[in-house]
């Protein structure tokens, strides 16, 4: 495949400086940090799934500090109300009128901690903010300030007091990340850094304006027509596996990926190329980001569950089967 020459730019320095600041506090987790930056630069929300204590909250908060932007952490609980997230109208006795008190959703980066503990009404309220990037209070619509990003966490093992996220909401997340344990060496380094107890200082090395400017340049990153066809082939294979030579997967897939998968694969691949200092997208960029874009969009059947076949395993088979340019 013909490619365009890559030239080092100030964008590479911007990304590297953010990564360096995050690395001061967060040991390892390079995959999670890179994918969070993909979401930030592509303007897509991210769902992080992992056990407690794996630095998910710390990483998100540190990224917010590094780009000098507003940050709010919302702890989701079963008794949470939409007004606790969005805000509400309160009566002002001095003026004799109602005024709007904005909720924590009015920040640039939102950490929705244990999002699957929130009831349906809260999920529906959050859905408007995520998709439309606006909030309606008392009949008035308020736009959310860009960059606006929801980074949500959920605990995969604790089910008591949790609610299954609606598929419509899960589909709004650009990426779903699986966060794993650190290595032995990383665990030892974590112990050393935390021995002092004092918080590690972080420098603000970027601004929201710089992130928005980077987003605009990412849309200009070259995406060859053959790479576009590759993306469409991958998504189509999750819907029609038999036509892609994966007949044995047909009974295991309830629903294939939605059209958002196609859009997010292109956006994610462009952002990944940007992070890696290139002004063109390669098939490897698509293949690298595909599991994070597809794992929550490929829904498995009861037969797949009985055979212990996960959506990750299905996506791996699809990527191995679909020929890259």
């Amino acid at each position: 495949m013909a490619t365009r020459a890559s030239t080092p730019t100030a964008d590479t320095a911007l990304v590297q400086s953010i990564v360096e600041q995050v690395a001061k506090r967060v040991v390892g987790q390079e995959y999670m940090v890179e994918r969070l930056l993909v979401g930030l630069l592509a303007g897509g929300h991210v769902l992080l799934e992992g056990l407690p204590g794996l630095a998910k909250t710390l990483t998100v908060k540190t990224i917010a500090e590094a780009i000098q932007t507003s940050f709010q952490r919302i702890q989701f609980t079963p008794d949470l109300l939409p007004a606790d997230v969005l805000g509400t109208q309160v009566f002002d006795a001095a003026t004799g009128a109602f005024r709007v008190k904005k909720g924590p959703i009015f920040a640039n980066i939102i950490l929705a901690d244990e999002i699957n503990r929130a009831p349906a009404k809260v999920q529906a309220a959050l859905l408007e903010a995520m998709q439309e990037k606006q909030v309606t209070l008392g009949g008035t619509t308020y736009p959310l300030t860009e960059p606006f990003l929801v980074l949500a966490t959920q605990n995969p093992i604790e089910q008591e007091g949790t609610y299954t996220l609606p598929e419509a909401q899960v589909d709004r997340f650009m990426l779903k990340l699986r966060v794993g344990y650190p290595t032995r060496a990383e665990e030892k380094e974590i112990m050393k850094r935390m021995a002092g107890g004092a918080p590690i200082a972080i420098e603000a090395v970027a601004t929201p304006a710089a992130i928005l400017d980077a987003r605009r340049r990412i849309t200009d990153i070259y995406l060859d027509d053959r790479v576009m066809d590759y993306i469409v082939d991958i998504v189509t294979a999750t819907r029609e596996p038999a036509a892609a030579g994966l007949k044995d997967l047909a009974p295991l897939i309830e629903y294939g990926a939605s059209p958002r998968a196609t859009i997010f694969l292109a956006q994610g691949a462009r952002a990944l190329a940007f992070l890696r200092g290139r002004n063109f997208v390669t098939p490897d960029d698509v293949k690298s980001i595909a599991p994070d874009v597809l794992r929550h969009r490929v829904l498995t059947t009861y037969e797949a569950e009985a055979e212990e076949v996960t959506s990750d395993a299905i996506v791996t088979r699809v990527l191995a089967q679909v020929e890259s340019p």
Side-chain angles (χ1 to χ4, degrees), residues 48 82 154 192 203-205 229 286 295 305 316:
L48 299 99
Q154 64 178 8
K192 289 179 181 178
E203 295 177 38
V205 293
D229 287 335
V286 176
R295 66 165 50 97
E305 293 179 20
T316 299

Side-chain angles (χ1 to χ4, degrees), residues 208-262:
I211 298 300
L212 293 177
D213 187 50
R215 281 186 186 178
R216 285 187 288 269
R217 288 198 296 281
I218 283 175
T219 60
D220 294 329
I221 287 180
Y222 179 65
L223 186 62
D224 191 86
D225 198 59
R226 284 166 292 178
V227 178
M228 291 185 191
D229 287 335
Y230 180 50
I231 290 172
V232 174
D233 288 343
I234 290 172
V235 175
T236 304
T238 67
R239 302 173 192 161
E240 303 169 3
L246 295 165
K247 187 177 179 180
D248 58 317
L249 291 185
L252 307 179
I253 301 175
E254 183 75 30
Y255 296 105
S258 73
R260 283 198 185 95
T262 308

Side-chain angles (χ1 to χ4, degrees), residues 3 6-7 9 46 56 61 65 88 112 133 140 151 157-158 160 165 171 238 292 295 300 311 322:
T3 58
S6 174
T7 54
T9 65
V46 181
K56 299 185 296 294
K61 184 179 180 182
E65 288 184 38
T88 187
K133 299 191 176 179
T140 303
L151 305 174
I157 62 169
E158 193 173 343
E160 187 176 350
L165 294 181
D171 200 44
T238 67
D292 306 309
R295 66 165 50 97
T300 56
S311 60
V322 177

Side-chain angles (χ1 to χ4, degrees), residues 91-316:
F91 183 73
D92 190 337
T95 62
F98 285 91
R99 61 179 175 84
V100 170
K101 183 180 180 182
K102 294 181 178 180
I105 198 70
F106 287 90
N108 293 118
I109 295 181
I110 306 296
L111 176 63
D113 220 349
E114 295 190 282
I115 191 173
N116 54 331
R117 290 194 178 278
K121 284 186 177 180
V122 176
Q123 299 289 357
L126 186 62
L127 187 60
E128 180 192 10
M130 290 174 61
Q131 182 63 25
E132 309 298 336
K133 299 191 176 179
Q134 63 184 29
V135 170
T136 302
L137 297 172
T140 303
T141 299
Y142 300 89
L144 297 169
T145 305
E146 290 280 15
F148 173 72
L149 197 65
V150 174
L151 305 174
T153 70
Q154 64 178 8
N155 185 335
I157 62 169
E158 193 173 343
Q159 300 303 322
E160 187 176 350
T162 64
Y163 299 80
T164 302
L165 294 181
E167 297 301 337
Q169 180 164 6
V170 173
D171 200 44
R172 260 68 175 189
F173 285 99
M174 177 182 183
L175 307 174
K176 180 180 180 181
L177 313 182
R178 296 200 188 280
V179 185
Y181 288 117
T183 64
R184 179 183 176 87
E186 291 168 349
E187 190 110 20
K188 186 175 181 180
E189 180 61 25
I190 291 170
M191 184 169 55
K192 289 179 181 178
R193 292 194 192 184
M194 296 300 109
I200 299 172
I202 293 295
E203 295 177 38
V205 293
T207 63
I211 298 300
L212 293 177
D213 187 50
R215 281 186 186 178
R216 285 187 288 269
R217 288 198 296 281
I218 283 175
T219 60
D220 294 329
I221 287 180
Y222 179 65
L223 186 62
D224 191 86
D225 198 59
R226 284 166 292 178
V227 178
M228 291 185 191
D229 287 335
Y230 180 50
I231 290 172
V232 174
D233 288 343
I234 290 172
V235 175
T236 304
T238 67
R239 302 173 192 161
E240 303 169 3
L246 295 165
K247 187 177 179 180
D248 58 317
L249 291 185
L252 307 179
I253 301 175
E254 183 75 30
Y255 296 105
S258 73
R260 283 198 185 95
T262 308
I263 297 168
F264 287 149
L265 273 173
Q267 292 177 346
R270 278 191 167 109
L272 205 56
F274 180 90
L275 287 174
R276 295 172 178 176
R278 281 184 278 103
N279 58 4
F280 59 91
V281 174
T282 69
D284 283 341
D285 293 325
V286 176
K287 191 173 289 189
S288 178
I289 203 72
D292 306 309
V293 172
L294 296 175
R295 66 165 50 97
H296 53 303
R297 293 185 166 88
V298 176
L299 305 184
T300 56
T301 62
Y302 288 114
E303 184 177 338
E305 293 179 20
E307 295 181 13
E308 298 184 347
V309 177
T310 64
S311 60
D312 277 290
I314 291 173
V315 171
T316 299

